[in-house]
Each structure stands twice: as C-alpha cells, then as structure tokens.
Amino acid sequence: MSGTSEQAGEPVQLKVVVADDQAAVREPLAAVLGLAEDIDVVAAAADGGEVLAAVAAGPVDVVLMDLRMPVMDGIETTRRLTEDHPEVAVVVLTTFADDESILGALGAGARGYLTKNAGRQDITRAIRAAGAGQSVLDREVQDRLLATARAQAAPAAQGEAAGQPLPDDLTPREREVLALIGQGLSNRGIAEKLFISEATVKTHINNLFAKAHIRDRADAVRRAIGAGLA
C-alpha cells in the first residue's frame, strides 16, 4: 500500500481513484468518500484512459471502477492495471450484476465487486479491504457466483465423490465449516452461524483446505457437494 505512514495518531490514508462516466455519479461519490479520514480521493476519472493516466501519475492504492465507460471500459482497464500495476487494487462499482460482467471483471483481476445498491459504508469497507489485500463481493454477486459454481460443480462432484473422499482427519467443526462454504456463506456469515470469531473461521478454513487439498473456495463448494454436505 502506498498510503502515508501513520504519524501522531493520524490514520494511514488510502489513495483512491473514482472512475465513472457520469459526472452526476462520479463527483458526489468522490466527495462522500473523501470525508473518510483514511481515504484520499486523488482523482476522478470519466473513462479508462483517464484511470490509467491517474495511476501512472500515482501513487494510487485502489481504483473504484465503473464497468460501462467510453474510450476503454472497466474490464479492459482492470486487465491493464492488473498487468502493469499489480499493486493497485480494483473494486468494481456498477449497476450490472450479470454473469458476464462479474466473471469478466473478476477474471481481469478485480479484487471486489459491488452493485450501485451498495451504501457508503459498504463501499468504504470494500475499499479498505481491497487496500489490505482482501476481496469483497456484495451478497447479490456472491449468490450468482455460487449458483454458477454449483451448476458447474454438481455433475463433476457427483463423479468425483467416490474417487476423492474427504480425509478422515477432518474435525467435526471443519466439516461444519465446509458445509457452510458449500451453502454460500461468507467467513462472517460462518462466524455468526457458529458463534465463533472470523479469525477462528479462517483457521478452520486453512486447516481443512490443507488436509483435503482444496485449492480455493470454488473447489470447496465442489467438494462439499460431492460429499453430500451441501
């Protein structure tokens, strides 16, 4: 992160570029985000070309990216940023939540995906998470990804279930966590469901992924389906 060092109790600031082709959206959003003590909106861009220019002028930590923009759309801009400026995190903020847009943006390297139904707190939380190297997807996006993953995973999972059983050394709690991942719950949702902390959830996930040789969350969904847990 290229934000300034914390001095005299002042929060570290994330350098943010707000990109949207509509001034009526871009300017108020930049103004509202700028009210947060830990966010410094360094530029507001109307298209992908302006985003790349702002990042080149730097430093920039996070780009809040619209998808439908002239000159260069948000997906292509995200792809170029991922290739040329991998240290810059992209959080998509768009009205579109179709599979093509979601998968295109995430495939291009976006670290977060929100729809414009998101409130100011949701957006600032996503920016902070992205600046810390974490991913944030809003609930609608999570649900669509889960539905797609389940549709793709179910036939393969049924065929793999006999040949790729879960290891015997998974604890009952790790099996519970895997089942809840299979149901589409986030780490926070799992923590609330099991009355444990998110840190404990992450520990269980790390352990079960290592024991069961699970690659990622999509693979976890497939294994949960194959084991009859979801």
Side-chain angles (χ1 to χ4, degrees):
M1 187 180 72
S2 62
T4 58
S5 299
E6 189 172 349
Q7 295 180 353
E10 296 181 359
V12 174
Q13 285 196 317
L14 290 166
K15 307 295 185 183
V16 176
V17 173
V18 175
D20 196 293
D21 65 328
Q22 298 182 44
V25 174
R26 180 177 69 248
E27 294 173 3
L29 183 56
V32 168
L33 292 176
L35 297 175
E37 291 184 354
D38 58 343
I39 293 177
D40 178 16
V41 178
V42 296
D47 58 59
E50 291 185 6
V51 171
L52 296 181
V55 171
V60 173
D61 297 306
V62 181
V63 176
L64 189 63
M65 185 84 73
D66 188 22
L67 289 187
R68 303 293 194 266
M69 297 186 295
V71 182
M72 185 186 303
D73 67 22
I75 291 177
E76 178 59 26
T77 306
T78 299
R79 183 175 294 110
R80 294 200 185 187
L81 287 176
T82 300
E83 293 174 354
D84 300 336
H85 302 277
E87 75 283 0
V88 177
V90 173
V91 175
V92 169
L93 180 64
T94 180
T95 56
F96 300 94
D98 57 282
D99 290 351
E100 182 178 357
S101 297
I102 295 169
L103 296 175
L106 296 179
R111 196 170 289 168
Y113 198 111
L114 303 176
T115 65
K116 288 183 178 176
N117 293 326
R120 179 175 62 87
Q121 290 185 339
D122 296 322
I123 297 171
T124 54
R125 187 182 302 117
I127 289 172
R128 289 166 182 150
Q134 302 169 2
S135 297
V136 174
L137 307 175
D138 74 14
R139 186 67 195 183
E140 181 180 359
V141 173
Q142 288 184 38
D143 288 345
R144 290 192 71 92
L145 284 176
L146 177 63
T148 300
R150 288 174 69 90
Q152 294 174 347
Q158 295 302 324
E160 292 174 1
Q164 195 179 21
L166 294 175
D168 294 333
D169 61 344
L170 283 187
T171 67
R173 181 64 92 188
E174 288 164 356
R175 287 178 176 271
E176 277 186 295
V177 169
L178 180 58
L180 293 174
I181 291 174
Q183 294 171 28
L185 272 68
S186 65
N187 286 5
R188 178 179 296 180
I190 294 171
E192 292 174 352
K193 184 81 172 179
L194 299 180
F195 301 101
I196 57 179
S197 70
E198 284 190 64
T200 301
V201 172
K202 290 178 183 178
T203 298
H204 288 313
I205 289 175
N206 289 338
N207 289 340
L208 78 88
F209 275 31
K211 290 179 181 178
H213 304 291
I214 294 174
R215 296 186 300 275
D216 51 34
R217 222 169 178 93
D219 191 28
V221 171
R222 181 168 60 251
R223 295 292 294 278
I225 294 171
L229 299 177

